[in-house]
């Protein structure tokens, strides 16, 4: 994007966007870590606690994760088009954009159905007194997502790599 087309928000709006972006990314990481803790509890705790953890997982998915993902994406795009970094001008910004789009898309496509199944198994386990049935692969989503969000945060701090060669 050329300098003439770049959106230039007032400094107070830019700071507000940056604050919301950072807070949303922090909340996203927190939700992912909480999802990981609940998943570990579901897989390792006594049957009643495991079932309660399984039912609780549905509280995090999809809305809280989807909302912070979309909020991070929206504020990131607005910050990108209003700064010298752009959206595709630097590799680290492009990588953050790709990570955000992929992770946010995976929430309703893959995580919601899995969380619904885990929730249903947890409710059935609470009624029967048995532990919920969940595979160890349930640890994969919170591990991958929290690692990717932490990597995106690190990219913001260290700004590695150079320009993409695009002027946009």
């Amino acid at each position: 994007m050329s300098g003439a087309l770049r959106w230039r928000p007032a400094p107070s709006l830019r700071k507000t966007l940056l604050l919301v972006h950072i807070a949303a990314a922090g909340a996203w990481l927190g939700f992912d870590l909480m999802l990981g803790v609940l998943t570990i509890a579901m897989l390792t705790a006594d049957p009643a606690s495991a079932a309660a953890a399984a039912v609780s997982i549905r509280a995090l998915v999809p809305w809280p994760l989807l909302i912070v993902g979309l909020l991070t994406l929206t504020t990131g795009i607005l910050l990108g088009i209003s700064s010298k970094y752009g959206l595709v001008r630097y590799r680290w910004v492009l990588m953050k954009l790709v990570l955000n789009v992929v992770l946010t898309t995976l929430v309703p496509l893959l995580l919601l159905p899995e969380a619904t199944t885990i929730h249903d198994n947890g409710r059935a386990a609470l009624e029967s007194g048995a532990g919920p049935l969940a595979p160890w692969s349930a640890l994969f989503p919170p591990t991958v997502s929290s690692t990717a969000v932490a990597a995106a945060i690190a990219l913001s701090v260290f700004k590695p790599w150079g320009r993409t060669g695009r002027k946009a």
Side-chain angles (χ1 to χ4, degrees), residues 4-91:
L5 297 177
R6 189 182 313 154
W7 175 57
R8 299 214 187 259
S12 60
L13 178 57
R14 185 180 186 310
K15 287 178 183 178
T16 300
L17 286 171
L18 185 58
L19 175 66
V20 171
H21 186 71
I22 292 168
W28 191 350
L29 182 59
F31 284 142
D32 280 338
L33 293 174
M34 196 172 8
L35 183 58
V37 168
L38 287 172
T39 302
I40 290 169
M42 178 189 62
L43 295 169
T44 62
D46 63 271
S49 298
V55 170
S56 299
I57 283 174
R58 185 64 199 288
L60 293 174
V61 180
W63 299 116
L65 276 174
L66 190 57
I67 288 168
V68 295
L70 291 172
L71 193 55
T72 305
L73 179 61
T74 302
T75 55
I77 288 170
L78 292 173
L79 288 166
I81 64 174
S82 69
S83 77
K84 66 180 181 179
Y85 298 112
L87 287 178
V88 295
R89 218 178 276 149
Y90 287 84
R91 288 180 179 90

Side-chain angles (χ1 to χ4, degrees), residues 85 92 96 150-162:
Y85 298 112
W92 65 272
K96 283 183 57 175
I153 292 169
L155 287 171
S156 295
V157 173
F158 294 106
K159 298 174 179 54
W161 314 313

Side-chain angles (χ1 to χ4, degrees), residues 125-145:
L126 281 174
E127 292 170 5
S128 71
L133 299 175
W136 280 92
S137 63
L139 280 172
F140 185 71
T143 302
V144 170
S145 184

